[in-house]
Amino acid sequence: MQRLAFKMKLNPGQKEAYKKRHDQLWPELKKLLKNSGVSEYSIFLDEETSTLFAFQKVTGDGGSQDLANNEIVKKWWDFMADIMEVNPDNSPISIPLEELFYLE
């Protein structure tokens, strides 16, 4: 099991929209993530900087960031593009973070 972490950037004033959209996560996207080995997926917000910190446990070689070719994922990116920083293909600008400490 891998533990992956990354950060993204929320546009100012979009906290409630981001939370609402994730509270209503599409069932087909949830199923895809779980079937791809993603579990314990959490996203936290640093309101001072609008930085989103994401953490997930993954079985296998890749996490949610490796599902870029899936149509459900592309549709989700398009849905989220108006409230966060994105690349030209609407994928979130995502910066992997290196784990320096872990206490089990």
Side-chain angles (χ1 to χ4, degrees):
M1 174 97 42
Q2 296 184 80
R3 290 179 311 279
L4 302 178
F6 52 94
K7 64 181 180 175
M8 301 171 287
K9 195 79 162 190
L10 189 63
N11 291 339
Q14 297 299 321
K15 174 185 172 181
E16 294 307 318
Y18 189 89
K19 180 164 178 17
K20 181 179 179 182
R21 292 179 192 189
H22 281 78
D23 286 346
Q24 299 171 354
L25 187 67
W26 304 335
E28 63 270 26
L29 182 55
K30 184 184 284 188
K31 182 178 179 182
L32 173 67
L33 290 168
K34 289 188 175 282
N35 289 344
S36 298
V38 176
S39 65
E40 294 189 37
Y41 190 172
S42 298
I43 302 173
F44 301 87
L45 173 64
D46 176 353
E47 291 191 61
E48 188 176 325
T49 64
S50 295
T51 299
L52 297 163
F53 166 79
F55 169 84
Q56 55 191 231
K57 287 186 176 179
V58 180
T59 57
D61 294 328
S64 64
Q65 303 299 297
D66 297 308
L67 298 173
N69 293 322
N70 187 286
E71 289 305 314
I72 297 168
V73 172
K74 290 178 183 180
K75 185 177 171 185
W76 180 258
W77 289 348
D78 292 343
F79 179 57
M80 298 298 291
D82 64 321
I83 63 171
M84 60 189 306
E85 291 183 2
V86 297
N87 293 302
D89 67 352
N90 281 345
S91 63
I93 295 173
S94 175
I95 301 165
L97 299 173
E98 179 183 359
E99 182 177 80
L100 297 180
F101 174 78
Y102 174 68
L103 175 66
E104 187 169 4

